[in-house]
Amino acid sequence: MRSRRSIARYGREILWALPLAVLGLAALHQAWLGVVLRHLSPEWHGLAQLVAYGTTGVVGAWLGLRRLLDALAERERAEEELRQAYADLKEQQRRLVVLHEFGKRAAGALDVQEVLALAARVPVELVGARGAAAVSFDPETGRPGLEVTWSLSDAATARLRRVVEGGLVSEACRACQPLTANLNAGCPMLTGLGPLATREGIGSVVCLPFAIGEDRVGVLATYLPAGEPPPPDRLHLLDVLAAEVAPALEGARLRARLAAAVYAGRELGRAPDDVHGLLDRALAILLEGWGAEVGAVLLRRGDPPAWEVAAQRHLGDMAAPAAALAMSLARLAQQRRHPVVIPRMRGRHGLRSVAAVPLEAEGEVLGVAVLGSTHDGQLARHQAEMLEALGAQLALAVRNAQLYHRLRETAVVEERYRLSREMHDTLAQTLGYLGLQASHVLRLVEHGEMHQASEELRQMVEVLREAYLDVREAIEDLRASTGESGGLQTSLRRVVETFRQRTPIAAHLEIEGPVPEMPSAVHLQLLRIVQEALANVRKHSQATRVEVRLRADPGHLELSVADDGRGFHPAGTQAPGHHGLVAMRERAQTIGAQLTIATGPGRGTRVMLRLPVPCAAAPCRERAAVTSAVRGGAPSDASHTGPGRG
């Protein structure tokens, strides 16, 4: 528009100046002719007039065109600036959409690990990063753990795991300002990669530390391409990402704490002789989840029943004002059989808000959990329903501890529930699909479309084959034994051999180091994780090769399942094998193991588990390599490397 106005202005100037220019040029022309013609003979007068008129016209036209061309050039520059501004605006909109999608998905994340897994993907789409790695810090010990990597090779992931477990990351992250993108050339998340950084085209790292209050909960390392340092606007986008991640982490941690409190009863059933210790951990989870400072779990025991403090935090002795208040609240909650919440109060006990939750199971009040805070309104009446639900779960946990002899029956019920869920997700849906397809084929036959009916039947045969494999896998899972001779090694050989026989995917097993004996519960969970990972490979990966590796090192056991398939997004709720990933994480948590998933588009998937094990003297000093591979149905002594993914 500005160029058009300039052209119009120049046109008006030329229009008004044209008469004056013509008069001036005519005057100059006549004066010049008068001077020149007096010195020329008459036969040259015509040529002289022609030259004079031609020169005057050319100069006038040249000046006018020059002015117009300048205006057109200015217009082109303005249009180019407008196109560039539009392209920049479109790119900014795309980045905002990426941040918005992350915010929506992170708001529904179930735990801190899922939020970090979601956040690891964003920098690649947001600022064109080469990859990202998410590290979380244990809320109790502060020890870091590598949760997930995105678009990094297996070699880089393995190197980062060693760097993180070495403790350098936690020391370096204390110097980083939370919620701020820090471009740090000396960060161990970059220097720890060594030459791998150059081979993968990584030039710098931007660290995004995440904090909830005073607690560091994680850090996201964003690996940028080699070359010029990132512009300030890119760092600002990462700052925005950090601001999005922080509240998502806070919400996820709260949900995780509440979920941990709900399922705390599972631990009580495993160790009935340590009920007090487990109640103490459950109380710590409740206090942290509600931000309370003082708490106690009081149980009714004996005949006649009397109150016993089974677990307490900062309550003091029974003569202290806080203990007296807890006892009176426990009696009141027992009488009402409903949570008692006082959001604001004053007294010598120093508490400002309190809550007492009856632990009721099967119509009997087994005890009361009391929480207290030194802040007004920290415990509010609208939380009563959730507190009541948690009290019921904690009561069930206590009841399970008292009924330890029924643990095996409970385990059978849980396994049946898992099997029913798997049957619902696979067999039931498959049968429903086959029913619809059969009706469709019948209609095709009735209409004489035999070729189409034949194609549909072929598809149904393939679906039936997949359903048969699913059922066989479920049966094998139920038959899995942890007492067979040879321990975990023999069980893994059997699982891998069965997988190789049932699928066209090349399956390999590698075992290194003297694998120690372990409790049957741990043995079974490890076996279930491998079976679930192999099931995901068969169903979703489109892989041609999979490797199961078991490595025993002093003090820990490493187990991995790697394929060369298409990869996937580990945090997506619609990702292939999502329920299987959740189940594997739950199984790993029950045995105290760290589960890491490394994947990326076209890079395959590697599920890695690290389990701390007691370190006996002899196995820690002496290591023997025992390697086996399942090739063509027969074990061999050859060693194999994992499937390559860059």
Side-chain angles (χ1 to χ4, degrees), residues 99-295:
L99 288 173
H100 177 67
E101 290 297 322
F102 165 76
K104 287 198 305 183
R105 299 179 68 181
L110 298 178
D111 52 30
V112 171
Q113 288 75 18
E114 186 174 351
V115 174
L116 292 177
L118 283 167
R121 180 181 181 181
V122 176
V124 177
E125 301 178 358
L126 195 63
V127 297
R130 300 291 297 178
V135 176
S136 67
F137 296 105
D138 187 274
E140 295 183 2
T141 65
R143 295 183 59 184
L146 183 63
E147 290 294 338
V148 65
T149 63
W150 182 257
S151 292
L152 295 178
S153 67
D154 286 348
T157 299
R159 184 71 62 86
L160 287 175
R161 287 189 69 183
R162 291 195 292 270
V163 171
V164 170
E165 292 169 359
L168 295 177
V169 171
S170 56
E171 292 294 332
C173 286
R174 291 193 180 97
C176 291
Q177 181 179 355
L179 308 183
T180 302
N182 304 281
L183 185 63
N184 187 356
C187 177
M189 293 292 287
L190 176 62
T191 59
L193 290 176
L196 282 175
T198 303
R199 289 202 293 270
E200 301 205 5
I202 296 173
S204 58
V205 64
V206 174
C207 294
L208 291 175
F210 305 126
I212 300 177
E214 300 295 329
D215 299 330
R216 293 290 179 91
V217 298
V219 60
L220 178 64
T222 300
Y223 295 98
L224 301 178
E228 295 294 327
D233 63 324
R234 300 290 177 87
L235 294 179
H236 177 67
L237 285 173
L238 293 176
D239 287 339
V240 174
L241 173 61
E244 290 279 347
V245 172
L249 285 173
E250 187 170 5
R253 172 171 280 191
L254 179 58
R255 287 189 293 273
R257 291 168 183 166
L258 297 181
V262 171
Y263 294 105
R266 294 182 178 180
E267 297 185 4
L268 289 170
R270 296 190 189 97
D273 295 334
D274 190 23
V275 174
H276 290 272
L278 294 171
L279 281 176
D280 187 70
R281 289 198 292 274
L283 177 62
I285 294 171
L286 288 171
L287 292 175
E288 191 175 5
W290 265 269
E293 298 88 5
V294 178

